[in-house]
């Protein structure tokens, strides 16, 4: 069976920096309150003219450039997002046109914070079976366009930021490869982290007389999400370790979804590793949902935290609930 490797990565975040002090002017909060509960100091918010597809395009362009390939080599596009430009079609179709690619397969994955690892796993299967040779995967969000930027929406508003990260995957001819991926979901708690509309339940999003603004903003039961995350993260990381018969000491770096620094600290403690082994950039970007892992991966590479031959693990947990991991030999 063929193997898959990442040959290029790139990311893009909006220029607009929103600090905790900026938020304190919009709602009843403070830098100390936000930082102590999340580890976030600032985040990027897209302006009115910047779309999810704009950020996805720029991240894709940079990943393709780093991969040093001709865009025509790409056979497939997979985009993870829950904040697409339109209800349908997906961002992937827009990217196919903007990148001027031939008529390749293109589809979106709505697995929230786990969407990038889900996309990675899907692409890996296509390449392993020989159905594709070069695949572009992206995690991209402008979720802050959906949040309530007031004291009423504070629990969500202080956490999220916008951005995009992309990777080019190709058939591997050496030991650098995706070792395994592991995907899970549990829908019984979906209302602990969800956005009710737009949707087709009762057609409430179509009839003006039935529209309720609160249905169009994300909702989160923070305590329950935190409790589940600190359980599922170590589980799915250990699953990857066991599957590949490797020890945590063999892992150079864990690159998790950037949900909350307190979650990362708890995960490191449960795994028995130093927090330095669990990469974090949440202080700069907040929670960028599907974009957080590829953005973190790009920065870890830029900082030389990952070298050829290193084993790294990507891990995510998010709405659905969904959770996932990927073990990679760089």
């Amino acid at each position: 069976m063929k193997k898959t490797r990442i040959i290029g990565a790139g990311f893009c975040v909006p220029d607009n920096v929103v600090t905790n002090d900026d938020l304190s002017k919009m709602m009843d909060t403070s830098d100390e309150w936000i930082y102590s509960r999340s580890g976030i100091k600032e985040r990027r918010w897209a302006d009115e003219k910047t779309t999810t597809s704009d950020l996805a395009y720029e991240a894709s362009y940079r990943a393709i450039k780093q991969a040093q390939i001709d865009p025509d080599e790409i056979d497939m596009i997979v985009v993870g997002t829950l904040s697409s430009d339109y209800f349908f079609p997906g961002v992937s179709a827009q990217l196919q046109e903007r990148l001027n690619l031939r008529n390749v397969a293109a589809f979106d994955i709505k697995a929230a914070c786990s969407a990038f690892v889900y996309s990675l796993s899907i692409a890996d299967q296509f390449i392993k079976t020989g159905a594709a040779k070069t695949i572009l995967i992206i995690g991209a969000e402008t979720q802050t366009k959906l949040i309530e930027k007031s004291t009423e929406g504070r629990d969500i508003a202080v956490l999220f930021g916008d951005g995009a990260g992309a990777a080019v995957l190709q058939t591997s001819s050496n030991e650098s490869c995706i070792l395994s991926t592991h995907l899970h979901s549990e829908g019984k708690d979906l209302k602990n982290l969800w956005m009710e509309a737009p949707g087709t339940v009762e057609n409430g999003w179509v009839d003006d007389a039935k529209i309720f603004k609160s249905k169009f903003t994300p909702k989160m039961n923070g305590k329950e999400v935190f409790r589940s995350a600190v359980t599922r993260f170590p589980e799915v990381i250990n699953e990857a370790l066991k599957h590949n018969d490797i020890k945590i000491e063999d892992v150079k770096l864990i690159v998790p979804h950037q949900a909350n620094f307190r979650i990362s600290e708890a995960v490191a403690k449960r795994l028995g590793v130093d927090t330095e082994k669990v990469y974090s950039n949440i202080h700069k970007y907040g929670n960028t949902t599907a974009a957080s892992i590829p953005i973190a991966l790009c920065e870890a590479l830029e900082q030389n935290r990952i070298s050829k031959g290193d084993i790294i693990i990507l891990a995510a947990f998010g709405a659905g609930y969904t959770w996932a991991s990927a073990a990679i030999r760089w």
Side-chain angles (χ1 to χ4, degrees):
M1 184 176 289
K2 298 179 186 296
K3 297 183 293 184
T4 308
R5 67 189 179 110
I6 297 173
I7 63 169
F11 78 100
C12 175
V13 292
D15 293 331
N16 181 33
V17 177
V18 179
T19 67
N20 292 344
D21 288 333
D22 292 331
L23 291 181
S24 70
K25 299 171 185 175
M26 304 179 195
M27 59 194 75
D28 182 14
T29 191
S30 66
D31 175 65
E32 190 278 331
W33 190 90
I34 298 170
Y35 185 70
S36 65
R37 287 163 174 77
S38 67
I40 300 169
K41 295 293 287 185
E42 60 186 42
R43 71 288 292 148
R44 306 295 182 96
W45 283 5
D47 60 29
E48 291 181 2
K49 295 181 179 180
T50 302
T51 65
T52 299
S53 64
D54 290 332
L55 298 179
Y57 169 77
E58 187 59 37
S60 298
Y61 176 82
R62 294 174 185 179
I64 292 168
K65 184 176 180 181
Q66 191 194 75
Q68 297 182 328
I69 64 166
D70 189 312
D72 286 342
E73 294 180 49
I74 294 170
D75 327 277
M76 180 179 290
I77 303 169
V78 186
V79 177
T81 184
L82 52 71
S83 52
S84 54
D85 295 10
Y86 311 113
F87 189 66
F88 70 87
V91 170
S92 55
Q94 295 171 270
L95 280 182
Q96 182 275 328
E97 189 274 331
R98 291 184 67 174
L99 290 166
N100 196 30
L101 300 180
R102 52 196 168 81
N103 299 335
V104 300
F107 53 93
D108 286 23
I109 298 295
K110 190 184 287 188
C113 302
S114 303
F116 186 79
V117 181
Y118 266 63
S119 300
L120 181 81
S121 182
I122 291 167
D124 184 37
Q125 310 314 311
F126 273 94
I127 290 175
K128 279 180 176 178
T129 60
K133 293 182 179 179
T134 305
I135 302 178
L136 173 66
I137 64 170
I138 305 100
E141 307 285 2
T142 54
Q143 187 171 253
T144 66
K145 293 174 180 283
L146 306 172
I147 63 179
E148 177 66 34
K149 300 177 178 72
S150 68
T151 299
E152 183 179 1
R154 176 182 62 183
D155 290 349
I156 290 283
V158 302
L159 297 176
F160 289 92
D162 300 326
V168 177
L169 277 60
Q170 198 170 69
T171 305
S172 176
S173 59
N174 54 43
E175 291 303 307
S176 296
C177 66
I178 296 170
L179 298 172
S180 65
T181 57
H182 310 272
L183 311 181
H184 301 279
S185 69
E186 186 174 47
K188 70 181 180 66
D189 294 316
L190 68 88
K191 291 186 179 180
N192 281 331
L193 182 53
W194 74 320
M195 192 171 83
E196 188 174 358
T200 55
V201 177
E202 297 180 357
N203 291 324
W205 64 285
V206 175
D207 186 345
D208 286 345
K210 295 182 180 179
I211 288 177
F212 296 95
K213 185 179 179 182
S214 65
K215 291 185 178 183
F216 289 77
T217 57
K219 303 291 188 301
M220 179 172 67
N221 181 336
K223 288 183 179 179
E224 284 303 310
V225 172
F226 185 96
R227 183 186 64 80
S228 295
V230 297
T231 299
R232 296 306 189 187
F233 267 114
E235 277 184 2
V236 81
I237 291 169
N238 281 322
E239 182 179 8
L241 295 176
K242 183 177 180 181
H243 181 87
N244 293 286
D245 194 24
I246 55 179
K247 299 178 181 179
I248 192 65
E249 292 80 14
D250 300 324
V251 175
K252 177 66 177 295
L253 193 66
I254 297 168
V255 183
H257 164 57
Q258 305 294 304
N260 187 312
F261 186 67
R262 290 168 58 213
I263 292 176
S264 294
E265 285 183 315
V267 170
K269 185 176 181 180
R270 291 199 178 194
L271 292 172
V273 299
D274 192 275
T275 54
E276 281 295 306
K277 198 165 192 169
V278 182
Y279 189 84
S280 178
N281 63 0
I282 194 169
H283 58 290
K284 294 195 294 183
Y285 303 121
N287 181 343
T288 55
T289 313
S292 78
I293 286 180
I295 290 174
L297 179 61
C298 287
E299 289 206 326
L301 289 167
E302 289 176 357
Q303 296 163 12
N304 296 317
R305 298 283 299 275
I306 304 169
S307 303
K308 183 175 176 57
D310 286 342
I311 293 175
I312 67 169
I313 292 183
L314 313 182
F317 176 89
Y321 293 141
T322 59
W323 62 100
S325 66
I328 301 170
R329 181 182 290 112
W330 203 258

